[in-house]
Amino acid sequence: MSEARIVLPVEGMSCAGCVRTVQRALAATRGVTNATVNLATAKAAVDFDDAQTSAADLVRAVRDAGYRCDTTSVSFAVEDLHYAASVTGLEEALAALSGVIRASANQATETVTVDYVPGAVTASELERAVVAAGFRLAAPIDAADPIERERVAREREVRVLTRKFVVAAVATVVAMVGSMSLERAHAGSVARQVDVFGRLLMPVAERLRGVLPLDPAWVKAVLALVTLPVLAWSGRQFFTGAWSGFRHRTADMNTLIAVGTGAAYLYSLAATLAPGLFVRAGLPADVYFEAAAAIIALILLGRLLEARAKGRTSEAIHRLAALRPQVAHLVRAGQAVDVEAESLEPGDHVIVKPGERIPVDGVVTEGGSAVDESMLTGEPMPVPKRVGDAAIGGTVNTTGSITLRATRVGKDSALAQIVQLVEHAQASKAPIQGLADRVAGVFVPIVLALAIAAFVVWFDVGPAPAFVFATVALVSVLVIACPCALGLATPTALLVGTGKAAEHGVLIRGGEALEMLSRVRTVLVDKTGTITEGRPAVTDVVAVQESAGAADEVLKWAASVEQRSEHPLSGAILAAAKDKGVALLAVDGFTALEGRGVRGTVDRQVVEVVSLRQVRERTLALGALGQEADRLSGGGKSIVAVVVNNAVSGLIAIADPVKPTSRDAVAYLKALGLTVVMVSGDARASADAVARAVGIDRVLADVLPSEKAGLVRTLQAEGQRVAMVGDGINDAPALAQADVGIAIGSGTDIAIEASDVTLIRGDLRGVVVAFDLARRTMTTIRQNLFWAFIYNILGIPVAAGVLYPVLGVLLSPVIASAAMAWSSLSVVLNSLTLRRFKPGWAA
């Protein structure tokens, strides 16, 4: 079994019911293991066995369910294709790529056309498939950027909705003016008198009666013609959607709108063409053309505002994708040649000039500079880069010119993985959405049943004319019901929350991880590399003599011997000597004293670097250094003595320094009500010293890496929800065991597959961002769901007429449609408040 994942664009979804229909259709496809459909992003994330099914099968499943799954095409020229004996191998190589729907080669024109799912395959992958099949491209493939394609599609949607709304709004104004001129004819209509909207417009109608003394029959005919384009063009999507649902035996929001506005228009058309039938039946020949037009106009306005707002919810991923430069300066035969960044391969050398974005992940081979990594890591200060340092693609080179050797390109780059992870997270769902999904599955049938029930009740027991009252209640119930708000409640908040987290260098894998983060109350934090820098460093150098330069002399003796050692502490001593500019001397007769230290001859002096225990076992005199050794050891530092010709010359203290932000991070975590526990493999004294330095009260010391997962299980057995924060490598078992695993890395060291949450930068404050944003996002989701449910719970009975016995008024279908449009928009706007999130230290 070969597991694959693809994200499909799905168009035509309007509510949570549509989401459920598409999700069921995909889940029923052979080989699909999981399918998640997101209404806010209009995408479906599908995990499947590519040996059993293909992208074409998944696209077909969406289309068979009655929705659009648009693909895109690219054509490119292949050299000498007309000489090939067969193009079957080329077509099969291209069709085998994940996301390719169809590949067709034309030998006569020497071109190949590939239909594919946007974003599922890149130009470089197509090119490699062509080369693997034994052919060569005549020119680079110009495949559409999926992010740009989505942006263009969103802009097109806004333009189309704007035009449709303008037409519907103009027609509504004309229809309302015409309807006001009919008020004299409708003056005796009880239904008009109790209509809330009619009452609001009554003063205006009174003034128009004398200004527009028109023939009612002629006015009704004109209104029928004016309203027709609104239904036929502006509201066409609702009727086609309802018809598609009918053909596929499903019902969604389009069904409610189409039935409601269609009933209002057909009723009015009958009253216009055959008023005698209504008179003989004792009914007023009222028309509701303005209601049908206004309903569609208001719903389109809501959709338009919603589309604009939803565009802002995905701004984070657009900004991340925009970091990817289009052109790179490739070093070829000693000269810099401008090429497309997408065409770079691992091992290529590229020049990055000051002010330019780095095109690929790589290692600096020449030059030096400072790189602004703030958009990816949240670090405001540029990071110095020297030869041998790693650089992340998409970051900005600020000062000097540098040359990089590309290590990861295309989909393998850190930026591409970040964008992909955020996309997948935004296509996911939180478990809290389960209730809304279950309600959505039966929502439309229940609303239809309630609308029919309202009609029957009003027709049987309502005041005369009962049929008119019943029709108004029917239409109002249909148009006020809003399953869209239920469908948008979770995904819009997830969209903004995960995008905002990515802007701060926090990658959350999906809705389930985010929801669990909000429930965690205990945080288990690894010491080395998480709270501390993860690399030993010299903190103190103390010499027997107190003269100037004596400490540097001690460091020179120690570093000269240690340059031949492989012990981890030797690197710290050598680094300290380099930082202080201490010149090293040659060493002769080097010997590693197993478990005790090292010895060598330097400048005809026998120099040893040994532990304090060795000093005391050999009864070497420490003198005044004894108290200093005790003080440094009490601080959790490792102490080595520098012995020259059997006399202690000085002490060097080595420790793993605490990261500058760790103390603040722990304080913020505590402020969020979290219990912070530090776990370390170090001895108790050393671990306690670090814990005191950062303000952690509970410490688990002398813990082997293999025992950390057991500690997590113990805390979970106590009923605690536990998050484990570690480096993603040694802590992998504990990360997997925890309710939420948080891998903390730096730069390109992104453990995407090993954790639920990945921090791009090695800063513990990213954990604070993850918890704070998770809680705020879940609060927003609960608010959204509450208002979506309460709106429908209160709005539908009011539309059915429960207020009439008390207040003597009916809810107008026009007001019902405005309320419905606002309910969806309010959910999106509430989710957008997450865009204002700032960490506590930046607020």
Side-chain angles (χ1 to χ4, degrees), residues 168-181 219 222-223 226-227 290:
V170 171
T172 298
V173 172
V174 173
M176 284 185 174
V177 172
S179 296
M180 290 175 193
S181 70
V219 172
V222 171
L223 292 180
V226 168
T227 310
E290 83 284 2

Side-chain angles (χ1 to χ4, degrees), residues 360-526:
V360 292
D361 294 354
V363 176
V364 179
T365 58
E366 294 181 30
S369 183
V371 175
D372 180 3
E373 300 179 344
S374 59
M375 190 59 196
L376 286 177
T377 67
E379 175 59 59
M381 297 298 294
V383 180
K385 298 292 180 181
R386 295 174 292 187
V387 173
D389 289 341
I392 311 173
T395 55
V396 180
N397 180 30
T398 60
T399 53
S401 178
I402 55 176
T403 301
L404 296 173
R405 184 184 76 254
T407 55
R408 296 194 296 185
V409 301
K411 282 188 173 181
D412 295 328
S413 69
L415 179 58
Q417 290 185 57
I418 291 168
V419 171
Q420 183 184 49
L421 184 65
V422 175
E423 281 185 326
H424 287 174
Q426 293 182 342
S428 68
K429 286 186 178 181
I432 195 173
Q433 179 70 15
L435 175 61
D437 287 345
R438 289 192 293 273
V439 172
V442 296
F443 185 87
V444 174
I446 288 177
V447 170
L448 288 171
L450 290 173
I452 294 171
F455 179 90
V456 171
V457 170
W458 277 101
F459 187 77
D460 285 344
V461 301
F467 183 78
V468 175
F469 275 95
T471 302
V472 170
L474 171 76
V475 174
S476 295
V477 170
L478 290 174
V479 298
I480 202 171
C482 187
C484 328
L486 291 173
L488 292 170
T490 298
T492 52
L494 278 178
L495 200 64
V496 183
T498 54
K500 199 67 184 175
E503 288 182 10
H504 289 281
V506 178
L507 307 179
I508 301 174
R509 289 186 64 83
E512 187 174 352
L514 187 139
E515 183 170 339
M516 184 55 69
L517 263 176
S518 70
R519 297 178 179 177
V520 165
R521 293 294 177 269
T522 301
V523 185
L524 198 61
V525 186
D526 180 51

Side-chain angles (χ1 to χ4, degrees), residues 19 76 320 436 693:
V19 170
F76 49 89
L320 285 171

Side-chain angles (χ1 to χ4, degrees), residues 386 537-538 555 572-582:
R386 295 174 292 187
V538 171
L555 191 58
I573 295 173
L574 289 169
K578 182 179 179 181
D579 290 341
K580 288 184 172 293
V582 173

Side-chain angles (χ1 to χ4, degrees), residues 810-842:
L810 278 178
L811 186 67
S812 168
V814 176
I815 294 179
S817 63
M820 188 276 286
W822 169 248
S823 69
S824 296
L825 182 61
S826 63
V827 165
V828 179
L829 293 177
N830 189 44
S831 296
L832 283 173
T833 59
L834 289 168
R835 294 173 67 207
R836 298 198 296 264
F837 169 83
K838 288 184 179 179
W841 53 90

